[in-house]
Amino acid sequence: MTPWKNQHSEPRQIPAKAGAIWGERKILLGIVALAVVLRVAMAFVYPFEFPDSKDYDALARAIVEQRDYQVDGLYATRMPGYPIFIAAIYMVCGYSIKAVLIVQAFLGGAIVYLVHRLARRVVGAPDSLPLIAAALAAVDPLSIAFSASLLTETPFTLCLVGGIYLCVKLMDRPRLGWWVAISAIWAVAVELRASLYWCIVPLAVVLMVMARTWRDRLIHVAGLGIVLLILFVSLLPWERRNDGLFAPARVHFTTLEGISLYEAVYPGATGGPKQDVLVLPAEMEPLNEAQRNAEWSRRAWECVRNDPARVAALAVRKVARMWSPVLNAAEFQNVLLQIALAAWHIPLFVAAIVGLIGLVLPMRWKILLLVPMVYFSAIHAIFLGSVRYRVPLTPFLCIFAAAGIVRVIQYTNQRKRLWEV
């Protein structure tokens, strides 16, 4: 019989696969921690304030103090999701914007984790790709900057990436339960940013086309119906409240849509913000908030019909602004800052193009990840174009860029082996 000490003297052998997974998790933990630290540091060192930030802060305070949900006498300019998010933090931490930014820093870490999970779900192997994608998302300068501002970008990005992750799971294993989960995520995301509402339709169409069986297609059809039903129900309180304020005029989402569309297409439009130079016409002064919204929208579509060629050319300019490697706003035209952003974004875009045309990512996953990128590019070809609006798309851009980096590494190794032979 073998002595007791001999039975236990050999070190426990960890399977190679388990060891690799544990090693990957440790690296991922470090990347997520780095993402949080960078965002917390930005919140303390250089937080950003935008005009929208003041509105969100005022609305959150109104919720906490149980006053009317309005700012500057306007009652439906902002969807209620983000003010509710801020108000919940204010109720716990007092009126501390820093507390909101710290919470958003941790949400940024959660986004980086989800980027890894999404990339892992999409590619499975090689192991390096999900970690590269997570690392790119962790240090992306725009994602860090907008997490340190009182804006919807960070919580909205988390919802969007979570929803796309579930869509990826649905492509392999259609389940109505996951559609219900997507419905909940989409409802929250639309309360943060209403423009997401119809993005679920092209996503569902892609899932239907890629489905292996008619049973799976029927599940996706039913799932799309569930999402649209839950979105309708979740928005009912907001619409009922607005109907009570503005009837007979209707407001589906916010009363900023009309003037936002007008500033994007009127004869003096440049593709960037112009509301500060727009003057309320005298004939619109007697109108209520919803009626003004409808009139701005009517005038905007009239501009589109009267000069479609100009509006089409403007749409190209807006998309270029949205995907610009540098900042468009005049107040951020610091030379060193612009050079630093260009040095980050140009290689990132090139790597993403390589990843898009390469074979590292399966085609069906490429199409699915492209849906939100194309959808929001189309939205902002109509409305304003700004680098801010691509921040929620950065996680998908990072996955494509990681695929491009992996492809370049593979190509380099292949060439090296050929030279050695």
Side-chain angles (χ1 to χ4, degrees):
M1 183 175 179
T2 307
W4 180 86
K5 65 177 182 179
N6 290 336
Q7 292 181 41
H8 298 273
S9 59
E10 292 294 328
R12 184 169 63 91
Q13 297 296 315
I14 300 175
K17 183 177 180 181
I21 292 173
W22 176 239
E24 182 178 0
R25 287 177 178 172
K26 287 195 292 186
I27 296 172
L28 175 61
L29 180 62
I31 292 171
V32 170
L34 174 64
V36 173
V37 168
L38 290 174
R39 285 154 177 79
V40 170
M42 179 63 81
F44 278 93
V45 175
Y46 203 89
F48 289 91
E49 183 178 77
F50 295 84
D52 293 6
S53 305
K54 296 178 181 178
D55 287 359
Y56 287 128
D57 176 60
L59 290 170
R61 289 170 184 261
I63 293 171
V64 173
E65 296 165 11
Q66 299 183 353
R67 293 184 281 106
D68 285 346
Y69 185 85
Q70 61 86 22
V71 59
D72 297 332
L74 301 175
Y75 287 79
T77 54
R78 308 287 176 186
M79 293 296 288
Y82 192 58
I84 291 172
F85 168 78
I86 299 172
I89 298 171
Y90 282 174
M91 289 176 184
V92 175
C93 304
Y95 293 134
S96 171
I97 292 176
K98 282 287 191 295
V100 178
L101 302 186
I102 290 171
V103 171
Q104 289 187 169
F106 281 90
L107 294 185
I111 291 167
V112 170
Y113 173 79
L114 271 179
V115 168
H116 178 272
R117 298 305 302 159
L118 178 57
R120 165 64 65 237
R121 187 84 192 183
V122 169
V123 300
D127 287 345
S128 59
L129 194 153
L131 289 174
I132 294 171
L136 292 174
V139 300
D140 176 70
L142 289 182
S143 301
I144 295 170
F146 280 98
S147 77
S149 59
L150 222 59
L151 294 171
T152 61
E153 267 64 25
T154 299
F156 178 77
T157 302
L158 181 63
C159 290
L160 180 60
V161 177
I164 298 300
Y165 174 71
L166 289 179
C167 287
V168 167
K169 295 185 74 171
L170 275 167
M171 188 170 280
D172 279 336
R173 298 180 63 192
R175 295 287 186 276
L176 280 179
W178 287 338
W179 274 111
V180 172
I182 289 175
S183 301
I185 293 172
W186 230 250
V188 172
V190 168
E191 294 287 354
L192 292 166
R193 188 175 291 182
S195 57
L196 180 69
Y197 191 100
W198 292 110
C199 185
I200 195 61
V201 175
L203 285 168
V205 169
V206 169
L207 291 172
M208 292 173 201
V209 171
M210 299 289 183
R212 297 184 180 93
T213 67
W214 279 105
R215 176 183 173 277
D216 291 348
R217 290 190 180 95
L218 289 175
I219 289 175
H220 294 318
V221 170
L224 176 60
I226 290 170
V227 174
L228 294 177
L229 176 62
I230 291 179
L231 285 175
F232 174 78
V233 172
S234 68
L235 287 169
L236 271 181
W238 176 247
E239 292 207 11
R240 289 282 179 84
R241 175 253 191 193
N242 292 335
D243 286 346
L245 289 170
F246 307 123
R250 298 296 305 275
V251 176
H252 293 293
F253 295 117
T254 75
T255 53
L256 281 182
E257 292 173 31
I259 193 170
S260 296
L261 180 59
Y262 184 78
E263 72 171 324
V265 299
Y266 85 110
T270 61
K274 301 288 283 186
Q275 283 190 33
D276 57 333
V277 301
L278 294 179
V279 178
L280 183 70
E283 62 272 20
M284 290 175 62
E285 289 180 2
L287 303 180
N288 69 29
E289 186 179 335
Q291 290 168 334
R292 289 178 183 177
N293 177 62
E295 178 60 18
W296 282 122
S297 182
R298 186 195 67 77
R299 294 185 182 204
W301 287 113
E302 186 177 25
C303 291
V304 173
R305 288 190 297 271
N306 290 342
D307 198 353
R310 178 187 62 83
V311 173
L314 195 56
V316 175
R317 190 186 305 177
K318 293 172 195 172
V319 173
R321 283 176 57 89
M322 181 179 174
W323 291 98
S324 169
V326 296
L327 300 179
N328 302 296
E331 60 267 32
F332 294 112
Q333 294 302 310
N334 178 281
V335 174
L336 292 178
L337 174 63
Q338 297 289 59
I339 290 174
L341 288 174
W344 167 259
H345 285 117
I346 292 174
L348 186 73
F349 291 163
V350 171
I353 293 170
V354 173
L356 182 60
I357 63 179
L359 300 177
V360 174
L361 295 176
M363 179 58 69
R364 59 179 185 152
W365 302 128
K366 290 179 187 177
I367 294 172
L368 194 64
L369 296 180
L370 278 172
V371 168
M373 301 178 77
V374 173
Y375 174 85
F376 279 104
S377 295
I379 289 287
H380 292 288
I382 301 170
F383 289 89
L384 298 183
S386 169
V387 295
R388 170 186 171 184
Y389 301 127
R390 78 160 186 262
V391 170
L393 308 176
T394 298
F396 315 118
L397 182 68
C398 289
I399 292 174
F400 283 120
I405 292 170
V406 167
R407 181 66 192 99
V408 170
I409 293 171
Q410 290 175 344
Y411 177 78
T412 303
N413 289 339
Q414 289 169 359
R415 297 287 295 177
K416 187 182 296 184
R417 284 195 293 269
L418 285 175
W419 279 105
E420 289 174 354
V421 172

